[in-house]
Amino acid sequence: MKGSSEKSGGGGRAVGRPRSANAAPSADPRADIIAAAARLFRKQGFAGASVREIASEAGLKKASLYYYFPSKEEIVYAMVEDVLAPALATQRRLGKAALSEAARLYLYLRSDIELLCAAPYDCTWLLSHGSLSDARMGAYWKQRQKLLAWLAARLKQGHAKGEFAACDAATVAQAMLAATEYSVTWAEREDRERMAQTAEQVATLLVRGVLADGRDMDAVKAEAAGEG
């Protein structure tokens, strides 16, 4: 994936590829392009949004957009990578932490909701319209399956340890991932404090729903607080 951050000039003002005359300066043109493309894709569809329109929406000239992304497809790939890679990294980190499965699961779900809500686009668009039906996008969706497999493993191992009630781990994992992804459709995305509260509440609800009898959610949160 091609991309670049603008470098700061001597006066501290962001400089780099030229922006259209009416655009406000931005320190992150790449993020501006992704956000602009997301708005246009939702409004006009992937095929209906031209590169020129995306560039104009982002406050860039068309040639400048190609400096960051050589095609519209690359913008969609970047959208997927920007939410998928951090989620997988969080799973790897939590998998190595000395935590109960319940605390591990709670921390991941809370983190994932905050990550998705902080993105400059709605990930539900990617799920319903983002498939480009090519090998690269197919590889991304296989990576997404790793998110589900990790969640299912937590549920299975947690049940074996007496932390979780018996359940169909694959189905519950699907429900949990869907809950995190669709939180962006109603969460207060512009209010970071409220967004964090939403993430905490949804993660609490999801984990509490699978806890075994006698297990206490407050104890899970107390353990998680030591890691977070």
PDB file of all heavy atoms in Angstrom, residues 161-198:
ATOM      1  N   LYS A 161     -12.217 -23.560  31.670  1.00  0.00           N
ATOM      2  CA  LYS A 161     -11.669 -23.097  32.955  1.00  0.00           C
ATOM      3  C   LYS A 161     -12.760 -22.731  33.958  1.00  0.00           C
ATOM      4  O   LYS A 161     -12.462 -22.278  35.065  1.00  0.00           O
ATOM      5  CB  LYS A 161     -10.769 -21.871  32.720  1.00  0.00           C
ATOM      6  CG  LYS A 161      -9.549 -22.155  31.863  1.00  0.00           C
ATOM      7  CD  LYS A 161      -8.804 -20.862  31.556  1.00  0.00           C
ATOM      8  CE  LYS A 161      -7.610 -21.105  30.644  1.00  0.00           C
ATOM      9  NZ  LYS A 161      -6.919 -19.833  30.277  1.00  0.00           N
ATOM     10  N   GLY A 162     -14.010 -22.871  33.570  1.00  0.00           N
ATOM     11  CA  GLY A 162     -15.102 -22.546  34.472  1.00  0.00           C
ATOM     12  C   GLY A 162     -15.488 -21.087  34.503  1.00  0.00           C
ATOM     13  O   GLY A 162     -16.281 -20.668  35.354  1.00  0.00           O
ATOM     14  N   GLU A 163     -14.953 -20.283  33.588  1.00  0.00           N
ATOM     15  CA  GLU A 163     -15.259 -18.852  33.576  1.00  0.00           C
ATOM     16  C   GLU A 163     -16.541 -18.541  32.820  1.00  0.00           C
ATOM     17  O   GLU A 163     -17.262 -17.599  33.173  1.00  0.00           O
ATOM     18  CB  GLU A 163     -14.106 -18.075  32.930  1.00  0.00           C
ATOM     19  CG  GLU A 163     -12.772 -18.200  33.645  1.00  0.00           C
ATOM     20  CD  GLU A 163     -11.673 -17.460  32.903  1.00  0.00           C
ATOM     21  OE1 GLU A 163     -11.973 -16.400  32.304  1.00  0.00           O
ATOM     22  OE2 GLU A 163     -10.523 -17.926  32.909  1.00  0.00           O
ATOM     23  N   PHE A 164     -16.816 -19.293  31.757  1.00  0.00           N
ATOM     24  CA  PHE A 164     -17.961 -19.022  30.902  1.00  0.00           C
ATOM     25  C   PHE A 164     -18.950 -20.180  30.924  1.00  0.00           C
ATOM     26  O   PHE A 164     -18.567 -21.343  31.114  1.00  0.00           O
ATOM     27  CB  PHE A 164     -17.525 -18.789  29.458  1.00  0.00           C
ATOM     28  CG  PHE A 164     -16.628 -17.590  29.257  1.00  0.00           C
ATOM     29  CD1 PHE A 164     -15.598 -17.628  28.345  1.00  0.00           C
ATOM     30  CD2 PHE A 164     -16.842 -16.420  29.972  1.00  0.00           C
ATOM     31  CE1 PHE A 164     -14.776 -16.535  28.152  1.00  0.00           C
ATOM     32  CE2 PHE A 164     -16.030 -15.316  29.793  1.00  0.00           C
ATOM     33  CZ  PHE A 164     -14.993 -15.373  28.870  1.00  0.00           C
ATOM     34  N   ALA A 165     -20.204 -19.837  30.698  1.00  0.00           N
ATOM     35  CA  ALA A 165     -21.227 -20.860  30.546  1.00  0.00           C
ATOM     36  C   ALA A 165     -21.044 -21.560  29.202  1.00  0.00           C
ATOM     37  O   ALA A 165     -20.402 -21.030  28.287  1.00  0.00           O
ATOM     38  CB  ALA A 165     -22.611 -20.212  30.617  1.00  0.00           C
ATOM     39  N   ALA A 166     -21.603 -22.732  29.080  1.00  0.00           N
ATOM     40  CA  ALA A 166     -21.536 -23.460  27.813  1.00  0.00           C
ATOM     41  C   ALA A 166     -22.302 -22.688  26.740  1.00  0.00           C
ATOM     42  O   ALA A 166     -23.365 -22.117  27.001  1.00  0.00           O
ATOM     43  CB  ALA A 166     -22.129 -24.852  27.982  1.00  0.00           C
ATOM     44  N   CYS A 167     -21.752 -22.633  25.545  1.00  0.00           N
ATOM     45  CA  CYS A 167     -22.412 -21.949  24.433  1.00  0.00           C
ATOM     46  C   CYS A 167     -21.847 -22.463  23.127  1.00  0.00           C
ATOM     47  O   CYS A 167     -20.831 -23.160  23.095  1.00  0.00           O
ATOM     48  CB  CYS A 167     -22.214 -20.432  24.535  1.00  0.00           C
ATOM     49  SG  CYS A 167     -20.488 -19.896  24.315  1.00  0.00           S
ATOM     50  N   ASP A 168     -22.514 -22.121  22.042  1.00  0.00           N
ATOM     51  CA  ASP A 168     -21.986 -22.390  20.709  1.00  0.00           C
ATOM     52  C   ASP A 168     -20.960 -21.293  20.437  1.00  0.00           C
ATOM     53  O   ASP A 168     -21.310 -20.166  20.085  1.00  0.00           O
ATOM     54  CB  ASP A 168     -23.118 -22.353  19.680  1.00  0.00           C
ATOM     55  CG  ASP A 168     -22.656 -22.652  18.257  1.00  0.00           C
ATOM     56  OD1 ASP A 168     -21.471 -22.408  17.943  1.00  0.00           O
ATOM     57  OD2 ASP A 168     -23.476 -23.104  17.453  1.00  0.00           O
ATOM     58  N   ALA A 169     -19.694 -21.597  20.628  1.00  0.00           N
ATOM     59  CA  ALA A 169     -18.649 -20.582  20.580  1.00  0.00           C
ATOM     60  C   ALA A 169     -18.609 -19.851  19.240  1.00  0.00           C
ATOM     61  O   ALA A 169     -18.411 -18.626  19.201  1.00  0.00           O
ATOM     62  CB  ALA A 169     -17.284 -21.208  20.884  1.00  0.00           C
ATOM     63  N   ALA A 170     -18.802 -20.574  18.144  1.00  0.00           N
ATOM     64  CA  ALA A 170     -18.730 -19.934  16.826  1.00  0.00           C
ATOM     65  C   ALA A 170     -19.857 -18.919  16.643  1.00  0.00           C
ATOM     66  O   ALA A 170     -19.633 -17.808  16.138  1.00  0.00           O
ATOM     67  CB  ALA A 170     -18.789 -20.992  15.730  1.00  0.00           C
ATOM     68  N   THR A 171     -21.060 -19.279  17.077  1.00  0.00           N
ATOM     69  CA  THR A 171     -22.202 -18.376  16.935  1.00  0.00           C
ATOM     70  C   THR A 171     -22.055 -17.152  17.834  1.00  0.00           C
ATOM     71  O   THR A 171     -22.297 -16.013  17.404  1.00  0.00           O
ATOM     72  CB  THR A 171     -23.506 -19.111  17.281  1.00  0.00           C
ATOM     73  OG1 THR A 171     -23.691 -20.198  16.355  1.00  0.00           O
ATOM     74  CG2 THR A 171     -24.705 -18.178  17.182  1.00  0.00           C
ATOM     75  N   VAL A 172     -21.646 -17.370  19.074  1.00  0.00           N
ATOM     76  CA  VAL A 172     -21.492 -16.255  20.008  1.00  0.00           C
ATOM     77  C   VAL A 172     -20.359 -15.336  19.550  1.00  0.00           C
ATOM     78  O   VAL A 172     -20.458 -14.104  19.665  1.00  0.00           O
ATOM     79  CB  VAL A 172     -21.247 -16.763  21.437  1.00  0.00           C
ATOM     80  CG1 VAL A 172     -20.951 -15.604  22.384  1.00  0.00           C
ATOM     81  CG2 VAL A 172     -22.464 -17.539  21.933  1.00  0.00           C
ATOM     82  N   ALA A 173     -19.292 -15.907  19.010  1.00  0.00           N
ATOM     83  CA  ALA A 173     -18.200 -15.086  18.486  1.00  0.00           C
ATOM     84  C   ALA A 173     -18.699 -14.191  17.352  1.00  0.00           C
ATOM     85  O   ALA A 173     -18.345 -13.007  17.279  1.00  0.00           O
ATOM     86  CB  ALA A 173     -17.047 -15.968  18.008  1.00  0.00           C
ATOM     87  N   GLN A 174     -19.529 -14.750  16.464  1.00  0.00           N
ATOM     88  CA  GLN A 174     -20.100 -13.953  15.375  1.00  0.00           C
ATOM     89  C   GLN A 174     -20.942 -12.809  15.942  1.00  0.00           C
ATOM     90  O   GLN A 174     -20.875 -11.666  15.464  1.00  0.00           O
ATOM     91  CB  GLN A 174     -20.984 -14.835  14.483  1.00  0.00           C
ATOM     92  CG  GLN A 174     -20.221 -15.792  13.595  1.00  0.00           C
ATOM     93  CD  GLN A 174     -19.804 -15.150  12.271  1.00  0.00           C
ATOM     94  OE1 GLN A 174     -19.882 -13.933  12.111  1.00  0.00           O
ATOM     95  NE2 GLN A 174     -19.349 -15.966  11.344  1.00  0.00           N
ATOM     96  N   ALA A 175     -21.736 -13.107  16.959  1.00  0.00           N
ATOM     97  CA  ALA A 175     -22.590 -12.076  17.559  1.00  0.00           C
ATOM     98  C   ALA A 175     -21.754 -10.985  18.212  1.00  0.00           C
ATOM     99  O   ALA A 175     -22.079  -9.791  18.122  1.00  0.00           O
ATOM    100  CB  ALA A 175     -23.530 -12.718  18.578  1.00  0.00           C
ATOM    101  N   MET A 176     -20.669 -11.376  18.864  1.00  0.00           N
ATOM    102  CA  MET A 176     -19.812 -10.390  19.525  1.00  0.00           C
ATOM    103  C   MET A 176     -19.124  -9.487  18.509  1.00  0.00           C
ATOM    104  O   MET A 176     -19.057  -8.265  18.690  1.00  0.00           O
ATOM    105  CB  MET A 176     -18.773 -11.100  20.389  1.00  0.00           C
ATOM    106  CG  MET A 176     -19.342 -11.692  21.657  1.00  0.00           C
ATOM    107  SD  MET A 176     -18.079 -12.478  22.687  1.00  0.00           S
ATOM    108  CE  MET A 176     -18.995 -12.681  24.232  1.00  0.00           C
ATOM    109  N   LEU A 177     -18.620 -10.073  17.441  1.00  0.00           N
ATOM    110  CA  LEU A 177     -17.960  -9.257  16.426  1.00  0.00           C
ATOM    111  C   LEU A 177     -18.961  -8.322  15.759  1.00  0.00           C
ATOM    112  O   LEU A 177     -18.664  -7.154  15.491  1.00  0.00           O
ATOM    113  CB  LEU A 177     -17.278 -10.146  15.394  1.00  0.00           C
ATOM    114  CG  LEU A 177     -16.353  -9.427  14.406  1.00  0.00           C
ATOM    115  CD1 LEU A 177     -15.232  -8.692  15.130  1.00  0.00           C
ATOM    116  CD2 LEU A 177     -15.776 -10.408  13.387  1.00  0.00           C
ATOM    117  N   ALA A 178     -20.164  -8.828  15.506  1.00  0.00           N
ATOM    118  CA  ALA A 178     -21.193  -7.978  14.905  1.00  0.00           C
ATOM    119  C   ALA A 178     -21.545  -6.817  15.832  1.00  0.00           C
ATOM    120  O   ALA A 178     -21.738  -5.677  15.379  1.00  0.00           O
ATOM    121  CB  ALA A 178     -22.445  -8.803  14.615  1.00  0.00           C
ATOM    122  N   ALA A 179     -21.607  -7.077  17.123  1.00  0.00           N
ATOM    123  CA  ALA A 179     -21.936  -6.015  18.083  1.00  0.00           C
ATOM    124  C   ALA A 179     -20.869  -4.939  18.091  1.00  0.00           C
ATOM    125  O   ALA A 179     -21.173  -3.739  18.164  1.00  0.00           O
ATOM    126  CB  ALA A 179     -22.100  -6.604  19.479  1.00  0.00           C
ATOM    127  N   THR A 180     -19.603  -5.331  18.012  1.00  0.00           N
ATOM    128  CA  THR A 180     -18.538  -4.321  17.995  1.00  0.00           C
ATOM    129  C   THR A 180     -18.587  -3.523  16.699  1.00  0.00           C
ATOM    130  O   THR A 180     -18.464  -2.289  16.708  1.00  0.00           O
ATOM    131  CB  THR A 180     -17.144  -4.961  18.157  1.00  0.00           C
ATOM    132  OG1 THR A 180     -16.857  -5.822  17.051  1.00  0.00           O
ATOM    133  CG2 THR A 180     -17.067  -5.770  19.444  1.00  0.00           C
ATOM    134  N   GLU A 181     -18.775  -4.202  15.586  1.00  0.00           N
ATOM    135  CA  GLU A 181     -18.741  -3.517  14.290  1.00  0.00           C
ATOM    136  C   GLU A 181     -19.931  -2.576  14.115  1.00  0.00           C
ATOM    137  O   GLU A 181     -19.787  -1.481  13.564  1.00  0.00           O
ATOM    138  CB  GLU A 181     -18.694  -4.545  13.163  1.00  0.00           C
ATOM    139  CG  GLU A 181     -17.360  -5.275  13.105  1.00  0.00           C
ATOM    140  CD  GLU A 181     -17.331  -6.445  12.147  1.00  0.00           C
ATOM    141  OE1 GLU A 181     -18.415  -6.969  11.789  1.00  0.00           O
ATOM    142  OE2 GLU A 181     -16.225  -6.847  11.759  1.00  0.00           O
ATOM    143  N   TYR A 182     -21.087  -2.966  14.579  1.00  0.00           N
ATOM    144  CA  TYR A 182     -22.267  -2.140  14.354  1.00  0.00           C
ATOM    145  C   TYR A 182     -22.488  -1.096  15.448  1.00  0.00           C
ATOM    146  O   TYR A 182     -23.408  -0.280  15.350  1.00  0.00           O
ATOM    147  CB  TYR A 182     -23.504  -3.019  14.158  1.00  0.00           C
ATOM    148  CG  TYR A 182     -23.555  -3.563  12.743  1.00  0.00           C
ATOM    149  CD1 TYR A 182     -22.864  -4.713  12.402  1.00  0.00           C
ATOM    150  CD2 TYR A 182     -24.221  -2.869  11.737  1.00  0.00           C
ATOM    151  CE1 TYR A 182     -22.853  -5.190  11.098  1.00  0.00           C
ATOM    152  CE2 TYR A 182     -24.225  -3.334  10.431  1.00  0.00           C
ATOM    153  CZ  TYR A 182     -23.538  -4.501  10.114  1.00  0.00           C
ATOM    154  OH  TYR A 182     -23.514  -4.955   8.821  1.00  0.00           O
ATOM    155  N   SER A 183     -21.615  -1.092  16.449  1.00  0.00           N
ATOM    156  CA  SER A 183     -21.688  -0.020  17.440  1.00  0.00           C
ATOM    157  C   SER A 183     -21.450   1.336  16.802  1.00  0.00           C
ATOM    158  O   SER A 183     -21.946   2.365  17.291  1.00  0.00           O
ATOM    159  CB  SER A 183     -20.660  -0.256  18.554  1.00  0.00           C
ATOM    160  OG  SER A 183     -21.003  -1.371  19.344  1.00  0.00           O
ATOM    161  N   VAL A 184     -20.706   1.363  15.698  1.00  0.00           N
ATOM    162  CA  VAL A 184     -20.396   2.645  15.059  1.00  0.00           C
ATOM    163  C   VAL A 184     -21.626   3.301  14.455  1.00  0.00           C
ATOM    164  O   VAL A 184     -21.611   4.499  14.164  1.00  0.00           O
ATOM    165  CB  VAL A 184     -19.312   2.485  13.967  1.00  0.00           C
ATOM    166  CG1 VAL A 184     -18.046   1.891  14.547  1.00  0.00           C
ATOM    167  CG2 VAL A 184     -19.819   1.644  12.801  1.00  0.00           C
ATOM    168  N   THR A 185     -22.700   2.552  14.263  1.00  0.00           N
ATOM    169  CA  THR A 185     -23.891   3.132  13.634  1.00  0.00           C
ATOM    170  C   THR A 185     -24.700   3.983  14.594  1.00  0.00           C
ATOM    171  O   THR A 185     -25.546   4.771  14.157  1.00  0.00           O
ATOM    172  CB  THR A 185     -24.798   2.027  13.055  1.00  0.00           C
ATOM    173  OG1 THR A 185     -25.291   1.195  14.128  1.00  0.00           O
ATOM    174  CG2 THR A 185     -24.044   1.164  12.058  1.00  0.00           C
ATOM    175  N   TRP A 186     -24.461   3.832  15.908  1.00  0.00           N
ATOM    176  CA  TRP A 186     -25.240   4.626  16.865  1.00  0.00           C
ATOM    177  C   TRP A 186     -24.390   5.271  17.957  1.00  0.00           C
ATOM    178  O   TRP A 186     -24.880   6.083  18.720  1.00  0.00           O
ATOM    179  CB  TRP A 186     -26.312   3.760  17.527  1.00  0.00           C
ATOM    180  CG  TRP A 186     -25.808   2.454  18.076  1.00  0.00           C
ATOM    181  CD1 TRP A 186     -25.797   1.253  17.433  1.00  0.00           C
ATOM    182  CD2 TRP A 186     -25.237   2.219  19.360  1.00  0.00           C
ATOM    183  NE1 TRP A 186     -25.246   0.286  18.242  1.00  0.00           N
ATOM    184  CE2 TRP A 186     -24.907   0.834  19.427  1.00  0.00           C
ATOM    185  CE3 TRP A 186     -24.970   3.024  20.462  1.00  0.00           C
ATOM    186  CZ2 TRP A 186     -24.320   0.265  20.547  1.00  0.00           C
ATOM    187  CZ3 TRP A 186     -24.379   2.446  21.581  1.00  0.00           C
ATOM    188  CH2 TRP A 186     -24.072   1.080  21.612  1.00  0.00           C
ATOM    189  N   ALA A 187     -23.125   4.934  18.034  1.00  0.00           N
ATOM    190  CA  ALA A 187     -22.259   5.507  19.069  1.00  0.00           C
ATOM    191  C   ALA A 187     -22.030   6.994  18.820  1.00  0.00           C
ATOM    192  O   ALA A 187     -22.084   7.468  17.679  1.00  0.00           O
ATOM    193  CB  ALA A 187     -20.916   4.783  19.096  1.00  0.00           C
ATOM    194  N   GLU A 188     -21.764   7.732  19.889  1.00  0.00           N
ATOM    195  CA  GLU A 188     -21.445   9.170  19.786  1.00  0.00           C
ATOM    196  C   GLU A 188     -19.997   9.302  19.338  1.00  0.00           C
ATOM    197  O   GLU A 188     -19.094   9.506  20.142  1.00  0.00           O
ATOM    198  CB  GLU A 188     -21.669   9.850  21.141  1.00  0.00           C
ATOM    199  CG  GLU A 188     -23.097   9.797  21.637  1.00  0.00           C
ATOM    200  CD  GLU A 188     -24.002  10.738  20.861  1.00  0.00           C
ATOM    201  OE1 GLU A 188     -23.470  11.619  20.160  1.00  0.00           O
ATOM    202  OE2 GLU A 188     -25.226  10.579  20.956  1.00  0.00           O
ATOM    203  N   ARG A 189     -19.767   9.225  18.035  1.00  0.00           N
ATOM    204  CA  ARG A 189     -18.416   9.092  17.513  1.00  0.00           C
ATOM    205  C   ARG A 189     -17.597  10.373  17.648  1.00  0.00           C
ATOM    206  O   ARG A 189     -16.376  10.329  17.651  1.00  0.00           O
ATOM    207  CB  ARG A 189     -18.474   8.642  16.059  1.00  0.00           C
ATOM    208  CG  ARG A 189     -19.178   7.304  15.877  1.00  0.00           C
ATOM    209  CD  ARG A 189     -19.216   6.872  14.442  1.00  0.00           C
ATOM    210  NE  ARG A 189     -17.894   6.571  13.947  1.00  0.00           N
ATOM    211  CZ  ARG A 189     -17.625   6.382  12.663  1.00  0.00           C
ATOM    212  NH1 ARG A 189     -18.557   6.512  11.764  1.00  0.00           N
ATOM    213  NH2 ARG A 189     -16.397   6.096  12.276  1.00  0.00           N
ATOM    214  N   GLU A 190     -18.257  11.517  17.728  1.00  0.00           N
ATOM    215  CA  GLU A 190     -17.525  12.776  17.845  1.00  0.00           C
ATOM    216  C   GLU A 190     -17.172  13.113  19.291  1.00  0.00           C
ATOM    217  O   GLU A 190     -16.406  14.029  19.545  1.00  0.00           O
ATOM    218  CB  GLU A 190     -18.348  13.914  17.229  1.00  0.00           C
ATOM    219  CG  GLU A 190     -18.692  13.714  15.755  1.00  0.00           C
ATOM    220  CD  GLU A 190     -17.446  13.530  14.903  1.00  0.00           C
ATOM    221  OE1 GLU A 190     -16.461  14.247  15.145  1.00  0.00           O
ATOM    222  OE2 GLU A 190     -17.469  12.675  14.005  1.00  0.00           O
ATOM    223  N   ASP A 191     -17.746  12.387  20.222  1.00  0.00           N
ATOM    224  CA  ASP A 191     -17.526  12.625  21.651  1.00  0.00           C
ATOM    225  C   ASP A 191     -16.690  11.469  22.183  1.00  0.00           C
ATOM    226  O   ASP A 191     -17.199  10.390  22.471  1.00  0.00           O
ATOM    227  CB  ASP A 191     -18.874  12.708  22.370  1.00  0.00           C
ATOM    228  CG  ASP A 191     -18.759  13.058  23.848  1.00  0.00           C
ATOM    229  OD1 ASP A 191     -17.682  12.829  24.426  1.00  0.00           O
ATOM    230  OD2 ASP A 191     -19.746  13.531  24.418  1.00  0.00           O
ATOM    231  N   ARG A 192     -15.380  11.690  22.326  1.00  0.00           N
ATOM    232  CA  ARG A 192     -14.486  10.599  22.711  1.00  0.00           C
ATOM    233  C   ARG A 192     -14.816  10.020  24.092  1.00  0.00           C
ATOM    234  O   ARG A 192     -14.715   8.818  24.306  1.00  0.00           O
ATOM    235  CB  ARG A 192     -13.027  11.085  22.674  1.00  0.00           C
ATOM    236  CG  ARG A 192     -12.509  11.344  21.269  1.00  0.00           C
ATOM    237  CD  ARG A 192     -12.648  10.108  20.396  1.00  0.00           C
ATOM    238  NE  ARG A 192     -12.181  10.301  19.052  1.00  0.00           N
ATOM    239  CZ  ARG A 192     -10.961   9.989  18.623  1.00  0.00           C
ATOM    240  NH1 ARG A 192     -10.080   9.509  19.461  1.00  0.00           N
ATOM    241  NH2 ARG A 192     -10.620  10.176  17.367  1.00  0.00           N
ATOM    242  N   GLU A 193     -15.203  10.887  25.013  1.00  0.00           N
ATOM    243  CA  GLU A 193     -15.535  10.387  26.348  1.00  0.00           C
ATOM    244  C   GLU A 193     -16.775   9.500  26.289  1.00  0.00           C
ATOM    245  O   GLU A 193     -16.817   8.415  26.886  1.00  0.00           O
ATOM    246  CB  GLU A 193     -15.780  11.554  27.305  1.00  0.00           C
ATOM    247  CG  GLU A 193     -16.064  11.111  28.730  1.00  0.00           C
ATOM    248  CD  GLU A 193     -16.219  12.275  29.685  1.00  0.00           C
ATOM    249  OE1 GLU A 193     -15.941  13.425  29.277  1.00  0.00           O
ATOM    250  OE2 GLU A 193     -16.624  12.038  30.836  1.00  0.00           O
ATOM    251  N   ARG A 194     -17.771   9.944  25.553  1.00  0.00           N
ATOM    252  CA  ARG A 194     -18.988   9.160  25.403  1.00  0.00           C
ATOM    253  C   ARG A 194     -18.698   7.870  24.636  1.00  0.00           C
ATOM    254  O   ARG A 194     -19.266   6.809  24.932  1.00  0.00           O
ATOM    255  CB  ARG A 194     -20.056   9.982  24.680  1.00  0.00           C
ATOM    256  CG  ARG A 194     -21.363   9.262  24.454  1.00  0.00           C
ATOM    257  CD  ARG A 194     -22.007   8.834  25.757  1.00  0.00           C
ATOM    258  NE  ARG A 194     -23.239   8.114  25.517  1.00  0.00           N
ATOM    259  CZ  ARG A 194     -23.808   7.304  26.403  1.00  0.00           C
ATOM    260  NH1 ARG A 194     -23.249   7.124  27.590  1.00  0.00           N
ATOM    261  NH2 ARG A 194     -24.935   6.694  26.113  1.00  0.00           N
ATOM    262  N   MET A 195     -17.820   7.959  23.660  1.00  0.00           N
ATOM    263  CA  MET A 195     -17.449   6.790  22.880  1.00  0.00           C
ATOM    264  C   MET A 195     -16.798   5.726  23.769  1.00  0.00           C
ATOM    265  O   MET A 195     -17.080   4.535  23.657  1.00  0.00           O
ATOM    266  CB  MET A 195     -16.481   7.199  21.763  1.00  0.00           C
ATOM    267  CG  MET A 195     -16.138   6.107  20.785  1.00  0.00           C
ATOM    268  SD  MET A 195     -15.147   6.773  19.422  1.00  0.00           S
ATOM    269  CE  MET A 195     -13.614   7.146  20.275  1.00  0.00           C
ATOM    270  N   ALA A 196     -15.936   6.166  24.681  1.00  0.00           N
ATOM    271  CA  ALA A 196     -15.294   5.231  25.611  1.00  0.00           C
ATOM    272  C   ALA A 196     -16.316   4.590  26.532  1.00  0.00           C
ATOM    273  O   ALA A 196     -16.227   3.395  26.857  1.00  0.00           O
ATOM    274  CB  ALA A 196     -14.222   5.953  26.417  1.00  0.00           C
ATOM    275  N   GLN A 197     -17.302   5.376  26.949  1.00  0.00           N
ATOM    276  CA  GLN A 197     -18.362   4.836  27.793  1.00  0.00           C
ATOM    277  C   GLN A 197     -19.174   3.784  27.042  1.00  0.00           C
ATOM    278  O   GLN A 197     -19.529   2.739  27.595  1.00  0.00           O
ATOM    279  CB  GLN A 197     -19.272   5.964  28.277  1.00  0.00           C
ATOM    280  CG  GLN A 197     -18.615   6.931  29.246  1.00  0.00           C
ATOM    281  CD  GLN A 197     -19.508   8.113  29.572  1.00  0.00           C
ATOM    282  OE1 GLN A 197     -20.609   8.253  29.020  1.00  0.00           O
ATOM    283  NE2 GLN A 197     -19.049   8.978  30.454  1.00  0.00           N
ATOM    284  N   THR A 198     -19.460   4.070  25.782  1.00  0.00           N
ATOM    285  CA  THR A 198     -20.186   3.114  24.961  1.00  0.00           C
ATOM    286  C   THR A 198     -19.407   1.806  24.835  1.00  0.00           C
ATOM    287  O   THR A 198     -19.969   0.714  24.978  1.00  0.00           O
ATOM    288  CB  THR A 198     -20.442   3.691  23.557  1.00  0.00           C
ATOM    289  OG1 THR A 198     -21.311   4.821  23.669  1.00  0.00           O
ATOM    290  CG2 THR A 198     -21.080   2.661  22.633  1.00  0.00           C
TER     291      THR A 198
END
